[in-house]
Amino acid sequence: MKKISIVKSLLFVIGCLMLHWPTANATIRPTRQGIDSIMMDRRSVLVYPNPVIAALNIKSRQPIQQLVLYTMDGKPIKKMTATGKNNQMYVRDIQRGAYMLNTIFEDGTRTSKMIIKQ
């Protein structure tokens, strides 16, 4: 019976793994299909800066009707009637911490983002 060195065994195992390892350019990208993905694109909201110090800028693809800022335990602390797709909410008067910004669109759909106040 022949003895095989540990180095040769490791090289053999690594070689076998390399044969079955996916190539670097084989990227799998999930496709977004269906009405849910279309609705999510329409309801996407860009909120910046986050963390915020004085004012939040809110931009969306569809017109916004109302913005509501909630504490993490669900209490509304700031409501604002919004117009159009670009809005600004001043938050200098609220305490530091984590909040949820609820965006209500003109068609009645909603989306939420977590906001950090510095």
Side-chain angles (χ1 to χ4, degrees):
M1 202 158 122
K2 261 185 167 179
K3 289 186 179 180
I4 300 175
S5 71
I6 294 175
V7 174
K8 286 183 180 179
S9 297
L10 285 174
L11 287 174
F12 176 75
V13 170
I14 291 171
C16 289
L17 288 174
M18 295 289 286
L19 289 174
H20 299 290
W21 201 264
T23 58
N25 60 0
T27 304
I28 299 172
R29 293 189 177 127
T31 58
R32 294 176 58 172
Q33 297 176 352
I35 193 71
D36 291 339
S37 63
I38 294 169
M39 290 304 293
M40 288 304 291
D41 283 343
R42 291 184 62 215
R43 287 185 294 214
S44 65
V45 176
L46 176 64
V47 179
Y48 64 94
N50 194 10
V52 62
I53 295 173
L56 279 171
N57 297 303
I58 300 107
K59 294 187 177 191
S60 69
R61 292 186 178 188
Q62 68 176 9
I64 299 171
Q65 179 181 2
Q66 187 176 35
L67 296 164
V68 184
L69 193 63
Y70 292 93
T71 60
M72 293 308 282
D73 60 355
K75 296 176 188 167
I77 58 166
K78 194 170 206 86
K79 287 185 181 180
M80 182 181 120
T81 302
T83 56
K85 299 176 182 181
N86 300 322
N87 292 277
Q88 197 169 46
M89 178 183 273
Y90 294 98
V91 293
R92 188 173 293 252
D93 57 336
I94 67 172
Q95 295 179 0
R96 290 182 177 195
Y99 298 90
M100 291 300 291
L101 177 67
N102 192 350
T103 306
I104 304 166
F105 297 102
E106 286 184 354
D107 66 357
T109 58
R110 300 168 182 249
T111 190
S112 296
K113 294 268 185 182
M114 185 173 182
I115 305 299
I116 306 294
K117 169 68 166 72
Q118 283 187 340

